[in-house]
């Protein structure tokens, strides 16, 4: 009973932080974005996946990881056998940063100041969930979690420590797989990402 009560309290706290984040003005990205896109998942998640920022679709619908990269990500988790109900997905930056190009909005990489400003929300998510492992999906997420630039090619598949001591596995963002033009290279990188996710599963205690 005590465990269930604690889980409910954490869920309520996450909901409160999510509500606070709706009105976030900690950096200027809120001015052009449609809305804050906060993290999503169970408060008892054993792993927190951190991406870079919401994309166009996520910005419009207000949910993370629902675009093409998110669908690929979900299929790989299912293939590896990671229970989606034991995961929490979020982004290092909670507003969509983009450049208008005609009728399209083209993704623009967050800068160090924007990552640092948004770390306020990521800190709350990690402190409340207390996962067994966090996963940095790409360079922006790795910087947000560790507080410094991390060369992805050098550290991919390895575990480093976040500023708060949470184990962080470094890997690429699923969108990277979608951008590879050569089919054989794409399949090779997909297998590497699968192996990274197997390492994540091995670190999940629950």
């Amino acid at each position: 009973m005590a465990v269930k009560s604690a889980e409910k309290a954490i869920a309520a706290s996450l909901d409160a932080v999510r509500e606070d984040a709706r009105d976030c003005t900690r950096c200027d990205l809120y001015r052009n974005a449609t809305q804050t896109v906060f993290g999503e998942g169970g408060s008892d998640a054993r792993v927190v996946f951190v991406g870079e920022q919401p994309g166009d679709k996520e910005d419009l619908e207000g949910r993370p990881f629902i675009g093409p990269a998110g669908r690929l990500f979900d299929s790989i988790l299912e293939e590896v056998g990671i229970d989606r109900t034991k995961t929490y997905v979020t982004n290092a930056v909670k507003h969509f940063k983009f450049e208008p190009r005609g009728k399209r909005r083209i993704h623009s990489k967050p800068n160090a100041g924007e990552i640092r400003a948004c770390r306020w929300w990521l800190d709350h998510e990690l402190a409340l969930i207390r996962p067994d492992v966090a996963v940095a999906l790409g360079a922006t997420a790795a910087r947000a979690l560790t507080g410094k630039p991390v060369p992805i090619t050098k550290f991919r598949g390895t575990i480093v420590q976040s500023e708060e001591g949470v184990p962080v596995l470094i890997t690429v963002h699923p969108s990277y797989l979608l951008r590879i033009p050569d089919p054989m290279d794409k399949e090779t990188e997909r297998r590497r990402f699968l192996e990274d996710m197997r390492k994540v599963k091995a670190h999940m205690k629950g």
Side-chain angles (χ1 to χ4, degrees), residues 9 42 64 70 97 99 119-120 129 138 143 164 172 175 203 205:
K97 182 178 182 179
E99 295 178 3
R119 180 61 200 260
W120 167 268
I129 297 169
R143 182 168 191 151
E164 289 73 30
V172 298
S175 62
H203 278 83
K205 298 172 184 175

Side-chain angles (χ1 to χ4, degrees), residues 20 26-27 36 54 57 75 77 81 97 106 132 162 189 194:
D20 286 345
R26 296 183 66 83
C27 75
T36 303
K57 186 175 179 65
S75 70
L77 290 191
K97 182 178 182 179
I106 305 301
D132 299 325
S162 75
E189 286 301 313
L194 275 167

Side-chain angles (χ1 to χ4, degrees), residues 166-178:
V166 177
V168 177
L169 186 135
I170 306 294
T171 188
V172 298
H173 194 282
S175 62
Y176 165 71
L177 305 179
L178 296 177

Side-chain angles (χ1 to χ4, degrees), residues 114-140:
E114 291 156 351
I115 295 169
R116 189 163 52 250
C118 214
R119 180 61 200 260
W120 167 268
W121 303 113
L122 183 59
D123 282 346
H124 278 75
E125 290 171 303
L126 292 172
L128 286 166
I129 297 169
R130 300 177 64 84
D132 299 325
V133 61
V135 181
L137 299 169
T140 297

Side-chain angles (χ1 to χ4, degrees), residues 102-199:
K103 293 184 177 180
R104 299 179 64 199
R105 301 188 300 171
I106 305 301
H107 160 277
S108 182
K109 187 175 181 178
N111 62 40
E114 291 156 351
I115 295 169
R116 189 163 52 250
C118 214
R119 180 61 200 260
W120 167 268
W121 303 113
L122 183 59
D123 282 346
H124 278 75
E125 290 171 303
L126 292 172
L128 286 166
I129 297 169
R130 300 177 64 84
D132 299 325
V133 61
V135 181
L137 299 169
T140 297
R143 182 168 191 151
L145 286 163
T146 65
K148 59 187 177 183
V150 177
I152 300 302
T153 53
K154 180 179 179 180
F155 288 95
R156 182 176 179 179
T158 64
I159 296 283
V160 299
Q161 295 294 312
S162 75
E163 291 186 300
E164 289 73 30
V166 177
V168 177
L169 186 135
I170 306 294
T171 188
V172 298
H173 194 282
S175 62
Y176 165 71
L177 305 179
L178 296 177
R179 295 193 300 269
I180 300 173
D182 183 80
M184 290 184 65
D185 290 344
K186 187 187 289 284
E187 181 57 30
T188 297
E189 286 301 313
R190 190 180 191 280
R191 286 198 297 269
R192 287 188 69 193
F193 191 75
L194 275 167
E195 185 57 36
D196 288 341
M197 293 305 101
R198 290 190 180 100
K199 291 178 182 178

Side-chain angles (χ1 to χ4, degrees), residues 54-129:
D56 184 80
K57 186 175 179 65
E58 288 87 353
D59 171 72
L60 294 173
E61 297 195 22
R63 297 181 59 206
F65 286 72
I66 59 170
R71 291 192 294 273
L72 173 62
F73 177 68
D74 284 346
S75 70
I76 289 175
L77 290 191
E78 183 176 359
E79 187 172 340
V80 172
I82 292 178
D83 185 350
R84 194 67 169 74
T85 65
K86 294 184 179 180
T87 71
Y88 184 91
V89 294
T90 191
N91 284 298
V93 173
K94 306 296 198 268
H95 285 112
F96 181 32
K97 182 178 182 179
F98 62 91
E99 295 178 3
R101 196 170 299 172
K103 293 184 177 180
R104 299 179 64 199
R105 301 188 300 171
I106 305 301
H107 160 277
S108 182
K109 187 175 181 178
N111 62 40
E114 291 156 351
I115 295 169
R116 189 163 52 250
C118 214
R119 180 61 200 260
W120 167 268
W121 303 113
L122 183 59
D123 282 346
H124 278 75
E125 290 171 303
L126 292 172
L128 286 166
I129 297 169

